[in-house]
Amino acid sequence: MSPQILHKLTDHVGSVNAGIFDSTGEYIITGGQDKTIRLRNAQGGRLVQEYEGHGWAVQDLAVSSDSARLASCGGDRSVFLWDIETAQVCRKFTQHQQRVDCVAIGGGSSASSVVVSGSFDKTVMVWDARSSQRTPMQTLRESRDGVSSVCLVDGNKIVAGSIDGSVRTYDIRAGKLLTDDLGCSVVSVRYLSSSVRESKDPISCLLVGCIDGSIQLLEQHTGASLGVFTGHKCAEYRIRCDANTEVIVSGSEDHYVYLWDISTNINGTAGGGFSSRLSGHGGIVNTAVFHPHASTNESKRNSILSTAADGSGSYGSMCHSAYWKSKLDNKYMVEVTMTTSLSHHHLVYETALPKPYRIVHMDEDGDDAEDPDDLVWINRGHEEKAKRKNRLKITVDDQNQVQEVTCG
């Protein structure tokens, strides 16, 4: 049977950064650049509920195992915990210092007692969703760069992927930390709770997507590599991947959804190459995930949800934009942080600024704090002057290299 798109959902404005199923697989939840979250029926694509509250782009979503609570995070540095049925905010966590890129929800005997968030501020924060406390129960600071992906395992383990090239597994109950250094920025981490088929022994794995265009399958306890999967494009943006017990799926910067057969690759017969790729999106595919029962229900084994930068989400079976934050310090160093909804790049350029150039403070709203409102918009490969006088203007080429720095 050839791949078929069951629904193509196009009512988001701008990039759709995150897409998940609820735990039953009956509903699809998407969030994007337009600051909204939308809940739809998976069978007909009908809009059921809309969640509004974020002040900036929604970066990630997670749903509790009983589908009663939804966690979301975004560029406004906030984590929201929602009641899915009423669309009311149960809790709001606001201790992160920069945008929050990833979130997970779970916890021991309760489906939604713990919320975990990872941020561009290099921290992982663990929140008690049952208490009224505004500060996190625990803050993990081992990452040397932004935290791009988090997941909860067995209610007491946290797995965090970082742009510093490491995957860290925290055993909260035992107080232990395991670090796997992959040598390349990590943009996606998935825990595979079911054993991978065709492996020699029953094992649980971590599926890790990297910015070098590879997806690595690691044995969870030892960190041993079981296979490396290549063929898609992931060189600049945060591309999410997923797997059932037989197939790995991933988005890609070339607008396709890629699939790999796990068994032929871990047995060494496919060399890591992809099995097939699916078309249908008109932009970078940010996320591709399997139906939550794809590993146990034969009828759902090939059901995939994907979201893209063209503002669409596609559910079936087998807008390129960027904003730049800039400031000039007293040492005349230009700090440029690429903070698109998909990617994480931090670059510092030493720039010769002849007098009488002035030190420019990029505080648009006058509150002396670093806010999303302070950002200067620049189109890639072009230049755009800031609206105010005496503001910084940066010209950036297609390779993200600063060509010119002036005060407008």
Side-chain angles (χ1 to χ4, degrees), residues 225-271:
S225 177
L226 301 176
V228 179
F229 305 83
T230 60
H232 70 307
K233 184 179 180 182
C234 180
E236 186 176 355
Y237 297 91
R238 186 179 69 178
I239 305 295
R240 298 291 179 88
C241 55
D242 194 18
N244 59 25
T245 57
E246 297 178 330
V247 177
I248 291 172
V249 63
S250 176
S252 178
E253 294 173 14
D254 61 6
H255 308 180
Y256 289 97
V257 174
Y258 282 76
L259 300 104
W260 295 263
D261 183 87
I262 294 177
S263 61
T264 56
N265 278 284
I266 65 176
N267 289 331
T269 59

Side-chain angles (χ1 to χ4, degrees), residues 71-82:
S72 64
C73 64
D76 54 7
R77 311 178 191 178
S78 300
V79 179
F80 285 69
L81 183 63
W82 306 83

Side-chain angles (χ1 to χ4, degrees), residues 184-187 209-214 234-238 253 345:
C184 185
S185 294
V186 174
V187 292
C210 297
I211 206 74
D212 64 353
S214 70
C234 180
E236 186 176 355
Y237 297 91
R238 186 179 69 178
E253 294 173 14
H345 291 297

Side-chain angles (χ1 to χ4, degrees), residues 345-357:
H345 291 297
H346 182 84
L347 307 171
V348 178
Y349 299 89
E350 184 172 1
T351 307
L353 296 179
K355 295 179 180 181
Y357 283 15

